[in-house]
Amino acid sequence: MDYEFLRDVTGQVVVKFSMGHEAIGHWINEELKGDLNILDQIEAAAAELKGSERQWQLAGHEYTLLLDSEEVMIRANQLEFESDEMEEGMNYYDEESLSFCGVEDFLAALQAYRNFMLNH
């Protein structure tokens, strides 16, 4: 999972993630928007979930984060389709709307984001 942090012309931090993990970048750009308090909540939830079977969810305006002790899922809220509307043999392109990654990799990316926010 590769990612990069940039500042746009307005000074806003923009995050881009590699193919297959684009939804993580979109989630950071749309839901976090530099709010380090949300990062604190996620890190605390990950620590509480470690070694358990429980899950934790953070629903946002555009994306929802679902966290368990091993994996993170970020899904666009609009990604709820009716399965009977699909034609046979067809599937939705959802690479930019759904991403999975391990908790440790996700927390490392969030720490890198925090460091970028504070130091650049």
Side-chain angles (χ1 to χ4, degrees), residues 44-54 68-70 103-104 107:
E48 284 183 33
L49 293 173
K50 199 167 194 164
S52 78
E53 297 292 319
R54 293 177 295 135
D68 66 26
S69 64
E70 296 178 2
V103 170
E104 289 180 16
L107 293 176

Side-chain angles (χ1 to χ4, degrees), residues 27 31-45 56 58 110 113-114 117:
W27 175 80
E31 304 297 339
L32 280 185
K33 295 182 180 177
D35 187 346
L36 300 182
N37 292 323
I38 295 174
L39 294 182
D40 294 338
Q41 291 176 23
I42 294 166
E43 290 167 351
W56 183 80
L58 180 63
L110 293 184
Y113 176 76
R114 180 190 303 267
M117 293 290 297

Side-chain angles (χ1 to χ4, degrees), residues 60-77:
H61 296 288
E62 299 288 328
Y63 290 86
T64 296
L65 177 144
L66 186 63
L67 178 69
D68 66 26
S69 64
E70 296 178 2
E71 189 173 56
V72 174
M73 178 184 78
I74 293 181
R75 173 184 56 82
N77 294 340

Side-chain angles (χ1 to χ4, degrees), residues 76-89:
N77 294 340
Q78 66 186 11
L79 196 61
E80 296 179 20
F81 299 109
E82 296 294 325
S83 60
D84 57 353
E85 292 179 18
M86 295 288 291
E87 291 184 30
E88 187 174 326

Side-chain angles (χ1 to χ4, degrees), residues 9 19 39:
V9 294
M19 188 181 300
L39 294 182

